Amino acid sequence: MKSQQLYVAYGTDAGQLASDLLQAANVASELSSDMHVLLKPNLVMAREASSGITTHPELAEGVIRFLLEAGVRKITIAESSWTGGDTGRAFRICGYSRLEEEYGRFGVRLLDLKKDPVQSLNVRGDRFKVFRSILEADYLVNLPVLKGHGATKLTCALKNLKGCIPDSEKRRYHAEGLHKPIALLNTIIRQDLVVVDGLCGDPSSETGGNPLEMERVILGKDPVLVDSYVAELMGYSPEGIRHIYLAARNGVGVTDTASARIREFGKPRFRNIPRRDSSRLKRLQAYVSERQACSACHGSTIYALQRLEESGKLALLEDKICLGQGYRGMRMSGLGIGACTRGFSKFLDGCPPTARGIYQFLASSGGDRSGA
Ligand code: SF4
């Protein structure tokens, strides 16, 4: 069974956070100089990471520097952008060409998987096609983005492997509703490590371009556990995301975040939260009164409000919900989110709380968990 440990670091320096977590998880002990390590970012389309769609190149760079220091001499960054998409263009626009220019002399190269040979495999009676380089790598590091998805609710470690299959397969997966083939694909491709870019993914769409700051990087070895943790950060129950549930049933990993050992590094910090043009985010933000709220707390709250809206419970909120360091030490009535609002008559503890916890707290009008 894969390690049931998760590592979470808060901040905005993706490369440093990734490097710190790789150290903390002692990943170097699993590497050797003769290994071919393959990095799989999410470059679904040619949009910069600040759009909330793609993996920050700085995160990949942090991983590359760590691998080089560990003695690895063959590193491939591999991707196949969405159906019909130009991966070479995505590499350029998303900042990955620079990585090849800068680190190519140390053995780092880009691979447009759309040009890679395809291998066919039989899985439980179905034919699956996977790019051969993915199967031949000695060590696969998955670098997904924490973000929402129109069809599967969220996309993270498990679904990011859809970039490892040819366009014809991508079409088939969509025709089959995505969840089942994604769960099966994860029985074919073994991910050795997942480093999640949780800086600013789009909360509702994998291509929408409306980033929401969450300001964290998450590392784990079990992709099901990582996705389960991410599901809770986004206000879902892991079992409520069908491909997570199916992957767990297929033996890819476990969903039990309550039993996982979660090590956190650093603390969420206050930063002015950028105002977004998205009408949906603006509408949800209108339910929030924030005073110096950290992005981690604010992002979780927006995710929770999104879940409330989807379940038709947003109308339960009669007053604005309060969060942020500006509420510390204040005695107030109303609903507070996070440890900073411990002086409120009803508050949800945590620093930061998960969106799932916030959703449950708000859905029960705060009564059940007040003062917890
Ligand atoms: S509880 Fe306070 S300090 Fe902690 S994340 Fe929320 S706003 Fe920041």
Side-chain angles (χ1 to χ4, degrees), residues 268 292-294 296-297 324-325 328 337-340 350-353:
Q292 296 181 308
C294 303
C297 227
Q325 298 176 41
R328 260 188 200 149
I337 300 295
C340 290
C351 178

Side-chain angles (χ1 to χ4, degrees), residues 119-137:
Q119 188 158 330
S120 289
L121 300 115
N122 204 321
V123 183
R124 302 184 189 185
D126 281 333
R127 296 301 286 171
F128 276 74
K129 292 178 185 164
V130 177
F131 291 118
R132 192 177 296 161
S133 294
I134 298 290
L135 299 171
E136 290 178 349

Side-chain angles (χ1 to χ4, degrees), residues 10 216 267-270 291-298 323-326 328 337-341 348-353:
Y10 297 98
R216 70 196 81 191
K267 277 279 163 203
R269 295 231 174 102
F270 164 67
R291 294 184 187 174
Q292 296 181 308
C294 303
S295 299
C297 227
H298 177 262
L323 56 138
Q325 298 176 41
R328 260 188 200 149
I337 300 295
C340 290
T341 60
L348 178 71
D349 213 348
C351 178

Side-chain angles (χ1 to χ4, degrees), residues 245-289:
Y245 165 77
L246 291 173
R249 214 177 61 177
N250 291 343
V252 177
V254 300
T255 58
D256 185 8
T257 55
S259 301
R261 186 159 171 243
I262 299 170
R263 287 182 63 192
E264 293 187 292
F265 298 84
K267 277 279 163 203
R269 295 231 174 102
F270 164 67
R271 213 165 53 84
N272 277 328
I273 297 164
R275 296 295 158 202
R276 302 296 182 198
D277 293 337
S278 155
S279 57
R280 187 168 204 209
L281 288 189
K282 272 188 191 163
R283 195 172 65 250
L284 296 176
Q285 263 165 353
Y287 286 86
V288 176
S289 170

Side-chain angles (χ1 to χ4, degrees), residues 50-62:
S50 57
S51 65
I53 294 172
T54 53
T55 307
H56 284 79
E58 295 85 359
L59 182 98
E61 186 170 13

Side-chain angles (χ1 to χ4, degrees), residues 34-264:
D34 58 348
M35 272 185 170
H36 176 199
V37 178
L38 194 139
L39 309 186
K40 167 63 182 76
N42 183 332
L43 307 181
V44 59
M45 58 196 300
R47 295 280 300 273
E48 290 177 354
S50 57
S51 65
I53 294 172
T54 53
T55 307
H56 284 79
E58 295 85 359
L59 182 98
E61 186 170 13
V63 175
I64 288 168
R65 293 172 79 101
F66 178 88
L67 293 172
L68 293 174
E69 276 171 30
V72 176
R73 291 292 168 261
K74 191 174 179 191
I75 302 167
T76 300
I77 306 172
E79 175 61 309
S80 136
S81 296
W82 65 351
T83 308
D86 180 342
T87 313
R89 184 161 182 271
F91 279 141
R92 284 192 302 280
I93 302 290
C94 299
Y96 285 73
S97 300
R98 175 188 70 78
L99 296 180
E100 188 178 48
E101 283 161 22
E102 209 160 306
Y103 297 95
R105 65 200 159 103
F106 301 116
V108 177
R109 70 175 183 124
L110 300 178
L111 173 62
D112 178 353
L113 286 168
K114 295 196 185 202
K115 298 173 182 165
D116 203 51
V118 171
Q119 188 158 330
S120 289
L121 300 115
N122 204 321
V123 183
R124 302 184 189 185
D126 281 333
R127 296 301 286 171
F128 276 74
K129 292 178 185 164
V130 177
F131 291 118
R132 192 177 296 161
S133 294
I134 298 290
L135 299 171
E136 290 178 349
D138 297 312
Y139 195 91
L140 177 61
V141 185
N142 192 2
L143 306 175
V145 177
L146 183 169
K147 61 179 176 174
H149 188 278
T152 57
K153 296 184 180 170
L154 68 83
T155 166
C156 197
L158 296 167
K159 193 181 161 296
N160 194 37
L161 294 194
K162 199 159 85 51
C164 302
I165 58 173
D167 284 0
S168 59
E169 281 284 88
K170 291 186 183 118
R171 286 189 202 96
R172 177 174 77 81
Y173 281 31
H174 278 279
E176 294 181 11
L178 290 172
H179 294 286
K180 187 176 166 212
I182 286 169
L184 284 173
L185 179 66
N186 275 272
T187 66
I188 302 171
I189 303 174
R190 175 196 154 90
Q191 311 180 32
D192 296 284
L193 190 66
V194 185
V195 185
V196 181
D197 180 344
L199 264 60
C200 64
D202 187 308
S204 55
S205 162
E206 72 162 348
T207 57
N210 293 301
L212 177 65
E213 279 69 19
M214 294 287 274
E215 297 189 351
R216 70 196 81 191
V217 170
I218 302 155
L219 182 148
K221 293 182 181 171
D222 174 344
V224 176
L225 186 63
V226 169
D227 278 12
S228 298
Y229 179 75
V230 163
E232 291 178 350
L233 285 182
M234 295 173 70
Y236 294 114
S237 128
E239 289 77 15
I241 309 291
R242 192 151 172 77
H243 63 273
I244 298 178
Y245 165 77
L246 291 173
R249 214 177 61 177
N250 291 343
V252 177
V254 300
T255 58
D256 185 8
T257 55
S259 301
R261 186 159 171 243
I262 299 170
R263 287 182 63 192
E264 293 187 292

